[in-house]
Amino acid sequence: MDTATLLLGVLFGALGGGYLVYGLRRKAWLPSVCGLALGVFTWFVDGPVLTALIGIALAALPWLLSG
């Protein structure tokens, strides 16, 4: 694991925590699931490019599907 992957993991983990809290307070399942996935996927993905691509996709998913 390199520094970029670690920092991206922290970034997407924090974003996932925000999505999870938002989804639980609004009782919306999609932001909650995406938040949980953002917090967990970095444990299983290695490499900064793949981490960034998956993280951006998961972070954008609630915005894309809600509109």
Side-chain angles (χ1 to χ4, degrees):
M1 179 177 282
D2 58 347
T3 306
T5 306
L6 183 64
L7 290 176
L8 285 170
V10 170
L11 173 74
F12 289 127
L15 185 62
Y19 269 163
L20 185 62
V21 169
Y22 173 79
L24 290 175
R25 286 189 180 172
R26 296 283 182 173
K27 295 187 174 117
W29 66 271
L30 184 61
S32 298
V33 170
C34 285
L36 188 61
L38 278 167
V40 172
F41 89 94
T42 57
W43 295 347
F44 304 106
V45 176
D46 193 27
V49 174
L50 191 57
T51 302
L53 290 175
I54 294 172
I56 290 169
L58 285 172
L61 192 63
W63 290 94
L64 294 174
L65 294 180
S66 68

